[in-house]
Amino acid sequence: ELDQTVSTSDHSCSIEIFGQDAKDMTSFLADGSVDRMLGVNVVYFLDPLEEYMQEIHRVLAPNGGTVVFGCKFGAIKDSPYPFVNKEEAPIVEKMEAAGFDVTSNKIDLGNDMYNYVELKGIKRT
């Protein structure tokens, strides 16, 4: 579906995937060079979260650059894995402190196994 959407859109679109740690992206992303960033099931591992949020803020375009995190907080609540960020509220607070306007939406896909929370941060400046 994504391929079809991108291929039939009226505007040019560039999607790049990087495998490096997002704590320091200076070697491959300039200030304000990214319009949108997506992280699915990743925010739990970002430590310290403040540093990641500052770096994401740096690379996003001013006045509207957007980061979206797909999160399954219920699924990781009692997990034995080394999740650092397990709760929504502290993540939202740190996103806001880094300069994002944050919204949280529960996405119901009709099955608890697939439902998730969308945390969307829009860069203020």
Side-chain angles (χ1 to χ4, degrees):
E1 185 177 327
L2 176 62
D3 289 341
Q4 187 176 40
T5 302
V6 171
S7 67
T8 60
S9 66
D10 291 336
H11 60 281
S12 63
C13 179
S14 174
I15 297 173
E16 296 183 54
I17 299 171
F18 297 96
Q20 292 90 339
D21 190 340
K23 193 187 296 185
D24 180 6
M25 298 181 276
T26 54
S27 66
F28 56 96
L29 289 175
D31 294 3
S33 64
V34 175
D35 292 321
R36 293 174 193 90
M37 187 177 287
L38 173 66
V40 177
N41 292 327
V42 68
V43 75
Y44 327 116
F45 302 102
L46 304 180
D47 188 30
L49 184 58
E50 297 86 352
E51 289 182 30
Y52 283 92
M53 290 299 108
Q54 290 168 1
E55 182 65 355
I56 291 168
H57 188 273
R58 180 189 71 78
V59 302
L60 285 174
N63 299 315
T66 303
V67 60
V68 174
F69 292 111
C71 309
K72 293 185 172 188
F73 295 113
I76 66 161
K77 188 176 181 180
D78 299 319
S79 175
Y81 293 103
F83 299 120
V84 179
N85 306 301
K86 295 182 178 185
E87 297 178 16
E88 181 178 343
I91 295 169
V92 169
E93 288 174 16
K94 290 175 182 170
M95 290 175 73
E96 290 173 338
F100 294 99
D101 290 325
V102 181
T103 58
S104 172
N105 296 302
K106 291 185 168 100
I107 308 300
D108 185 347
L109 298 175
N111 182 323
D112 286 344
M113 184 173 160
Y114 302 114
N115 297 344
Y116 66 96
V117 173
E118 173 198 72
L119 294 180
K120 181 188 287 186
I122 299 176
K123 185 174 178 177
R124 287 192 288 266
T125 58

